[in-house]
Structures are given as structure tokens and as C-alpha cells.
Amino acid sequence: MFLKGKTAIVTGSTSGIGLAYAKALAAEGASVVINGFGEADAIEKERAALEETSGAKALYDAADMTKPDQIAAMVQRAHDELGGPDIVINNAGIQHVSKIEDFPIDKWDAIIAINLTSAFHVIRAAVPFMKEKKWGRIISTASAHSKVASPNKAAYVAAKHGIAGLTKTVALETATFGITANAISPGYVWTPLVEKQIPDTMSSRGLTREQVINDVLLDAQPTKEFVTAEQVAAFALFLCRDEAAQITGANLSIDGGWTA
């Protein structure tokens, strides 16, 4: 359990990739702060399971990723109650699919706030604690859409390109403090976020559900397979190891060959 004594914050971690990150970190002994929306009973069940797995503490924090003060309070709580944060994984994300001329302004604002600006607020609050310890791991879930674009996803593509740039800047600023900052760019992972965008894509492109899955989603991935949340989490776990200390400022693809 190479993360025993470390504390991690994972945003957007009550389901999907985020929960897979939390489980992987807990399996290596880390204390974990999970965050996101969902049924209280279901969240408590996952929180308790993380503690059982890690033998360390697990907290749930309901910080709204559009509220900077709540984000800062979550990071401070991780410090006050668990002694961290040593690791932060920015994973909170939402999606909306629409042509640029029809793209709702409120959707644009929400996607930029949750997918990009929240990562800035988490990192800004966490870096001073990491600098004190001369060790830290900052990982942000980007996307193949941080490297290439798709139609009808203006806000998401813009936010993910922003994550790539933010990661590079933070890596340079923290390079002499034992801190690394990297982005992981998955292709399509079968998660609730992907499942929810299928009806919008069906509507905007006039396709059936099967056509969206096979001809839109998996068309981009030469392997013709979805990436799994567990594969993404294993990638993040490696970045937390001492062997990954010289990997920083990178935008690392795990996309079945999409961006090749």
C-alpha cells in the first residue's frame, strides 16, 4: 500500500471514472475525500467501502464545483481533518451537445465552470500544502477532446483544451517542489456522462442509439472498444508513484488510438 499516509481529493467521484480513481487510491492505503452529487445513502455506502478498503479515513464533501468558496473549504477540510491534500484529481465534468449557434449560454458557462475553472480553484488551494511537504500529485481528467475536436461540443472541447494548458503551467511552476501535474486524456469511457449525451447526439445528428454508439462514439477509436474507468484509474495510480516523478506537464492519452 504505497499511498499509506497520503490524502487524496477526487472531484466528481460519486460515480464513473471519479469513483474508480477513489477506489484505486483507497486500495493503496490513501485517505480519500470524495465529492459529487447523488443519493445520500448510495454515497455513504461508497464512502464506508473506501474506508474498509484503505484502512484509513474517507470523507464525503458536497462542495459545489461552481462555487470557489466551497472548493477552497473542501481543500482546507482535507488539510484540517486528514493532513493533506497530497494528491488532487480534478475529475468533475458535465457535457452538452449542440450546434454553436444554438448553444445555450448558461450551458457554456456551467461547462467552463465545472470542467475547467473548478480545477484552477482546487489546484490554487492545494499547492501551498503540497509545497510545504515538497511532494504532490496533481492529475486532471482531460479528454481526447483536449487534443482534437468534435462538432457540437464547443464548450467541452474548449474546457478540455484549457485543462491541458493549465496543467502545463502548473507543472512548470511546481517543478522544483517535488510536485507533478499531468492530464490524462481518455477516449470514450462508458460512464453516466457518456450515456446521457447519447440522446442529444441522436437528436442533433438524426441517428439511432446504435448508430451513435458504433458510428459516432467508437468510430473515433481504432480499437473499437470503450476505455474502462478502471484502466484510467490505474494510469492515475502510476502517476502517483515515485517512479513517475519525472513525468510532469504531460497530456497522456488513453484513447484506443483515437488521437494517433
Side-chain angles (χ1 to χ4, degrees):
M1 296 183 116
F2 77 94
L3 292 178
K4 204 162 185 63
K6 303 287 190 191
T7 294
I9 298 172
V10 187
T11 68
S13 51
T14 51
S15 66
I17 298 171
L19 184 56
Y21 284 136
K23 288 178 176 179
L25 293 163
E28 290 296 341
S31 299
V32 182
V33 179
I34 58 171
N35 155 269
F37 300 117
E39 296 290 331
D41 289 348
I43 292 171
E44 172 54 26
K45 184 178 177 182
E46 296 293 357
R47 188 206 63 77
L50 290 169
E51 282 194 342
E52 189 172 344
T53 298
S54 66
K57 291 210 66 166
L59 304 177
Y60 167 67
D61 194 290
D64 182 333
M65 289 296 106
T66 67
K67 309 284 192 211
D69 56 336
Q70 293 186 25
I71 295 170
M74 176 180 67
V75 175
Q76 187 66 47
R77 183 184 176 201
H79 176 71
D80 294 345
E81 297 186 31
L82 301 176
D86 304 287
I87 300 160
V88 297
I89 302 185
N90 297 300
N91 180 69
I94 59 171
Q95 174 65 290
H96 182 78
V97 179
S98 178
K99 291 178 181 176
I100 188 70
E101 64 267 33
D102 301 323
F103 211 99
I105 292 171
D106 63 328
K107 294 291 187 185
W108 169 276
D109 291 342
I111 289 169
I112 297 299
I114 293 170
N115 295 39
L116 174 57
T117 307
S118 72
F120 159 76
H121 289 298
V122 173
I123 294 167
R124 182 179 183 274
V127 160
F129 297 124
M130 293 178 176
K131 283 185 172 181
E132 283 179 15
K133 294 186 176 187
K134 301 283 189 188
W135 195 94
R137 295 291 185 266
I138 298 165
I139 300 167
S140 297
T141 306
S143 164
H145 283 120
S146 72
K147 300 186 174 190
V148 296
S150 292
N152 305 317
K153 296 183 178 179
Y156 190 83
V157 172
K160 294 305 185 180
H161 274 66
I163 284 288
L166 175 63
T167 295
K168 292 177 183 180
T169 300
V170 173
L172 295 179
E173 290 185 18
T174 60
T176 59
F177 291 91
I179 300 166
T180 67
N182 294 291
I184 296 177
S185 285
Y188 279 109
V189 183
W190 190 254
T191 65
L193 183 65
V194 168
E195 194 167 6
K196 282 176 189 171
Q197 69 181 275
I198 289 174
D200 285 342
T201 306
M202 288 168 62
S203 174
S204 66
R205 297 201 187 187
L207 301 174
T208 66
R209 178 182 173 85
E210 290 70 27
Q211 286 173 321
V212 171
I213 291 172
N214 295 314
D215 301 339
V216 178
L217 302 183
L218 293 181
D219 179 60
Q221 296 186 189
T223 59
K224 300 304 178 190
E225 295 177 352
F226 284 102
V227 181
T228 71
E230 291 71 26
Q231 288 167 340
V232 178
F235 203 176
L237 208 57
F238 175 73
L239 293 175
C240 294
R241 300 189 71 92
D242 289 338
E243 291 88 341
Q246 294 305 313
I247 303 173
T248 194
N251 186 357
L252 302 160
S253 296
I254 177 168
D255 63 9
W258 178 349
T259 56

